[in-house]
Amino acid sequence: MAAPVNIIVGSHVWVEDPTLAWIDGQVNRIDGQDVHVQTTNGKKVVANISKVYPKDTEAPPGGVDDMTKLSYLHEPGVLQNLAARYELNEIYTYTGNILIAINPFQRLPHLYDTHMMAQYKGAALGELSPHVFAIGDVAYRAMINEGKSNSILVSGESGAGKTETTKMLMRYLAHLGGRSGVEGRTVEQQVLESNPVLESFGNAKTVRNNNSSRFGKFVEIQFDKSGRISGAAVRTYLLERSRVCQISNPERNYHCFYLLCAAPPEEREKYKLESPESFHYLNQSKCYKLDGINDAEEYLATRRAMDIVGISEEEQEAIFRVVAAILHLGNIDFSKGKEIDSSVIKDEKSRFHLNTTAELLKCDPKSLEDALIKRVMVTPEEVITRTLDPEAALGSRDALAKTVYSRLFDWLVEKINISIGQDPNSKAIIGVLDIYGFESFKHNSFEQFCINFTNEKLQQHFNQHVFKMEQDDYEKEQINWSYIEFVDNQDVLDLIEKKPGGIIALLDEACMFPKSNHETFAQKLYQTFAKNKRFIKPKLSRTNFTISHYAGEVTYLADLFLDKNKDYVVAEHQDLLTASKCPFAAGLFPALPEESSKSSKFSSIGSRFKLQLQSLMETLNSTEPHYIRCVKPNSVLKPGIFENLNVMQQLRCGGVLEAIRISCAGYPTRRTFDEFLLRFGVLAPEVLDGNADDKAACQMILDKMGLKGYQLGKTKVFLRAGQMAELDARRAEVLGNAARTIQRQIRTYIARKDFVLLKKAAIQLQSCWRAMSACNLYEKLRREAAALKIQKNFRCYTARISYSALQDSAMIVQTGMRAMTARSEFRFRKQTKAAIKIQAHLRGHREHSYYRNLQKAAIVTQCGWRGRVARKELRSLKMAARETGALKEAKDKLEKKVEELTWRVQFEKRLRTELEETKAQEIAKLQEALHSVQIQVEDANARVLKEREAARKAIEEAPPVIKETPIMVQDTAKIDELSSEIESLKALLLSEKQVAEEAKKACTDADSKIVDLAKKLEEAEGKADQLRDSAQRLQEKLSNLESENQVLRQQALTMSPTGKTISSRPRTTILQRTPENGNILNGETKPGHDTALVVANTKEPESEENPQKSLNEKQQENQDLLIKCISQDLGFSGGKPIAACVIYKCLLHWRSFEVERTSVFDRIIQTVASAVEVHDNNDGLTYWLCNTSTLLMLLQHTLKASGAASLTPHRRRSSSASLFGRMSQGLRGSPQSAGLSFLNGRMLGKLDDLRQVEAKYPALLFKQQLTAFLEKIYGMIRDNLKKEISPLLGLCIQAPRTSRSSLVKGRTQANAVAQQALIGHWQSIVKSLDNYLKIMKANYVPPFLVRKVFTQIFSFINVQLFNSLLLRRECCSFSNGEFVKSGLAELEQWCCYATEDYVGSAWDELKHIRQAVGFLVIHQKPKKTLNEITNELCPVLSIQQLYRISTMYWDDKYGTHSVSADVISSMRVMMTEDSNNSVSSSFLLDDDSSIPFSVDDLSKSMPQVDVADVEPPPLIRENSGFVFLHQRSDS
């Protein structure tokens, strides 16, 4: 960022602030290089001019969505833009194609629902508001179009939202790829389910974060050649191995160690674990627990996560055995051995941990000891075994721990990848990198060195990508950029990794020399890099060194660099664990080739780190990168708080400011020609008056200003750093001069106007003053006369008042004196009475106290005496207890108690055996315990006998006191022991009783449940019997109805015209042709497939077959002719569709509705299907829409549904119901179900001579298929109209940009030109609507369907315009609202022209966009209250939608502001309440593509059709088989 060069007095600038990072103010004075600034918080600041940056006073209050659009691209401008957008809940912001995501610390579900995904699908970057979906879509489209893998690098410190951002990215990629994972889990779900496992084993507490990732994670989403997700994989990089052995206060080791130490007691006992304080690898830091984290619960959660990932119980146990082994391994210490440079196990505690480690790893303890303290050297002559000194043995121990943990972590990652499922044949991938960010603490060690080295590498990759973007932009605009300097950090990388003189190389060299230490290593660094500008030696330290990274200077402590870098690959360790009897541990160490396992090799963690980093960079370089920088706005993790210093540090560490520096090195300010002329045209008005094009006009303005180094591209002006400020200063000067001229003229006008007014006021004031003086004189004389009269009366009044007061005072004094005397007398009497009462109470209290004290003394005396007597009796009892007889009596009592307890236990055993057999094992245990107690009692009895014999002998040999005392003491101890055992048995017996009672209670509950279930089963069986009876009755009723139906058919046959000549025959039978062979069979009266009813004589069977065949052939010919006829466009007769009427009359005459099998319905449906195959033939579609709707209406009024069918409620069919779905639903119903009790009624039109039709199954299926085709044709017409107007809607939502002509021709003329351009698009939409209306009118589509079509089309217009308005900030402007409002007026005018019969309530469907546009164009928005907005202006819009429009609004015409900050805050509170109440918070509308009507709605809305007046078409008019069509019309 270059220093500003055009700071003048009055400029609005940014200056540094220790609290807010940057604060804005205005320049008051400039003294050389010192600038005096008056800040907005009232302070005065003096700063160097090089650290003062100009402020863009014309920047939008809500910020810009792409910070490359900022007029001044510098740190304070970036910070202010992010803060302004964050305050409006706009958490995403672009910097070019880099996305900055600020964690909102609250749920914003409307940003991530499926509607939002659909909006960003296929949208170009920058077309819609910034979003993580846009980055995912760009990566996916680049992969599909170019066939190249892409990567998305998500970075940020812990708590910045990296995991949530990664989750949203994978959700969007899964939405685009559309592949579900195993067992219903998507790929992103499977990857996220692995996070708890990886966090437990790869995350640890650092100085700044409690859950910091100590490894990098690269998630590969794999795609096949068609762009579908085919698999996924998790790659891990750069695990911090040294943390296993060395940690510093107040950090922690990896979480898994602490979780295992908090495991349930049985597991800790199994692994022989204690508290974390007892293990060397954990107690190097005094931090053992995290605030708000329960390690025991986290341990169980980790085990559950392992189950989900697919790690078996055996594998989980083996994993934690290895983790416990590492902890025990760290507690093995060594001391010097007898030989020189030898070591041995230090003490028994270390030996215990050695044996425990061997037990957990299932290897030989001796082999483990030898692997730690011995080394085998293979020479050509012999194999030499040497021992290690204690220090080397400790290094060997730590090397083993780091190697085991590293391989365990690799195994977990491999297991997770197997669970997710990889595709080795994937054509391309999209990788999401989640890795730790730049770290700078108070004390930085080897871990921070490696992490910052990684970030330096990634920053170089980032810088190259940003420079490439700049280069692409320059090439696109065809400007010269070859001299632009590229900001690179290669010198820092050379300082760290260059061979042989880099820091890592020197560290490896120091590690290979036994006598090297941290001081010699630091001195080597000082000598090597003394002249390196990136390397700094601190003044007061001998071992520290400072590296100047891209994010700032970091000072490292070299004290532990050597220890943390050592990582020997020891052959003895490999052999030890390969031979382990634990398959899991052995699997971590597969056998190596013979030559590689003969000796130990030195391997440093730094070198390994560098190789892994190189592998990661190769992966990233093979992909097209995209960057997302996550930012944590505050350290308290609460919404609505934006800490400037914290954010600025993260932007610096995330490389965003470095990207800005790269942009500033080129052309940080870019403006289109129109924008440039609109802002700086005032600098050269003569240029605008000419006829030069925009580019030439910009060239002339810049040349006039004398700027150098700028570039003019094809569409933009590219300005160097500082040139925008210079132009703004010139513009401010020109505007200032113009303002002063205007002020001078207006001040002259105001001064003259004030003078004239003042003169008139003076003359009027003089006349008024003279009149006032005369009035005052008259008033003075009148007052003097009145004063004399007042004085006389006043003196009389005062004398009277004085006398009255004196009289009253005398009376008051007398009254007071008398009252005081009375009160004194009363007070004396009262005091005398009280004194007497007090004396009486005092004497009584004194006597009572004396009595109580006397009583207490007597009680104390009695207690003392009784205690003395009791103590004497106690001594006598003790003496008696010493006697042998008392001991025997106590023993007998104990034996009785034991027998009683034995009997009780046996009784409880029998009782519990009868109640619950499942408790048998516990009773057996109790019996064993009782048996052991009996044995102990018997042993005690034996010992008592022996002791009595010994006591008897001792009595004979010693004095009585000496003989009795030991016996008493020993027997008393035994008694106490037996008493305690009896008490324990009582407790055990009590617990068993409780268990038995619980079992009884459970058994009782189970019995009650069984009884309830039995009752319910009996009720269900009764209901089933009732249903069987009902079904049987219905079947009987069905058979009766069928027999009645046969009789009615025979009667109808005899009455039909075709049966008149045959009715004279004596005997008739109804014959049926089978579908298999076409033969005629005698049988019962039964309708059949293509049934032709004939009458035959039973005496002449030979003549029956030929007439029947001729009738069937004639019927088939008629059907063929009908199909051929309706395949043509028959047109309309009197507004009625001829085809529908002819089909209906033919089917009715042929009685096709009453047969159970016929093919005519299928042929008609096939004809309709073939006619509507051409989707874009709107004329044909509307023709068949009219025919199908009319035919369906006729069928609805003619066919009568069965009882069972009539009970089925009509449901509104959705657009997803296809023809084949409806056919399959119809075929699944049984034909018999259509035969239940049909209803009778009248026929339509003039068909009263025929009975109403009771439809069979084929007719009902035909009606169902016809309904499906009606809905399909309706949907095709509607979708065709949507496709036609969709491109036009995209042009209508945003007003055309005002060109430079607006500066010359004036605002009115420019707006008229733009208005005409926009109206052209709206008129195209109106023309499309009008064309469709004319087509549907010409084909006599029912007005009901026309209204439904236009209602859904207007709803579609409303959804598209409203959603585009909310997703594109450039559309939420005042002028754009005016343009859209004028377009809506065109639609309203068309609705009036089309009349309500064909449009209906379609205009009301535009309510959302109408109210939104009304809000955009309303004036004085800051004065509107929330109640006025929600209830009066925009009652239909939700609070989320209002908030979105209010925050995105900008006035490009008058420069006014949106609603007030109080209204915005109230909206935010209401949104928070809605999110807490689980109210949908999506601000987008959803397009309803369902079918908005049912068959009943259609039939009720259409007028009845008189089919009798419809003339038959010429093709069938003269055919004898269709004579009935003429007969009907004639009648």
Side-chain angles (χ1 to χ4, degrees), residues 592-620:
L592 297 176
E594 183 68 24
E595 52 276 359
S596 64
S597 61
K598 290 182 179 180
S599 60
S600 302
K601 295 181 180 179
F602 171 75
S603 172
S604 72
I605 290 182
S607 299
R608 188 190 302 271
F609 202 89
K610 187 169 73 171
L611 292 176
Q612 287 189 343
L613 183 57
Q614 183 179 356
S615 172
L616 174 61
M617 299 310 299
E618 290 174 355
T619 302
L620 295 180

Side-chain angles (χ1 to χ4, degrees), residues 185-242:
R185 293 179 296 143
T186 61
V187 170
E188 54 99 4
Q189 285 175 334
Q190 296 179 71
V191 174
L192 292 173
E193 284 168 356
S194 66
N195 278 345
V197 180
L198 292 179
E199 287 184 2
S200 295
F201 289 84
N203 286 26
K205 179 191 182 302
T206 61
V207 174
R208 187 173 296 168
N209 305 317
N210 289 344
N211 189 31
S212 177
S213 297
R214 312 316 295 169
F215 68 100
K217 182 171 66 174
F218 189 72
V219 181
E220 293 181 1
I221 308 295
Q222 299 162 347
F223 297 84
D224 57 19
K225 59 182 180 182
S226 61
R228 314 293 288 179
I229 294 179
S230 58
V234 178
R235 315 290 183 202
T236 57
Y237 296 92
L238 314 174
L239 177 68
E240 190 181 316
R241 294 160 54 111
S242 60

Side-chain angles (χ1 to χ4, degrees), residues 557-574:
L557 281 66
D559 296 354
L560 297 175
F561 264 54
L562 271 67
D563 296 336
K564 293 184 177 182
N565 186 53
K566 293 178 181 178
D567 184 27
Y568 288 95
V569 180
V570 182
E572 287 77 8
H573 299 169
Q574 175 74 34

Side-chain angles (χ1 to χ4, degrees), residues 875-888 968 972:
R875 282 194 297 270
S876 64
L877 289 176
K878 284 185 178 180
M879 292 297 292
R882 292 172 186 166
E883 297 178 0
T884 306
L887 180 61
K888 184 176 182 302
M968 183 273 293
T972 303

Side-chain angles (χ1 to χ4, degrees), residues 99 101 132 135 151-157 160-167 169 217-218 431-437 458 626-630:
L99 181 68
V132 66
I135 300 297
S151 60
I152 303 174
L153 283 70
V154 183
S155 64
E157 68 175 51
K162 298 192 298 297
T163 302
E164 193 69 17
T165 301
T166 304
K167 177 181 177 182
L169 276 172
K217 182 171 66 174
F218 189 72
V432 182
L433 177 65
D434 180 0
I435 198 166
Y436 33 57
L458 293 175
H626 308 271
Y627 292 91
I628 299 177
R629 294 297 191 243
C630 297

Side-chain angles (χ1 to χ4, degrees), residues 470-479 481 484 667:
E470 295 283 314
Q471 175 182 338
D472 292 341
D473 198 8
Y474 297 156
E475 290 178 349
K476 180 180 177 182
E477 291 290 329
Q478 298 180 0
I479 67 171
W481 54 274
I484 296 175
Y667 301 97

Side-chain angles (χ1 to χ4, degrees), residues 699-719:
Q699 179 80 44
M700 296 168 67
I701 291 175
L702 292 168
D703 291 342
K704 181 180 178 181
M705 295 297 102
L707 298 183
K708 304 295 181 183
Y710 63 86
Q711 292 280 351
L712 294 178
K714 295 173 64 177
T715 61
K716 295 179 182 178
V717 177
F718 291 81
L719 300 178

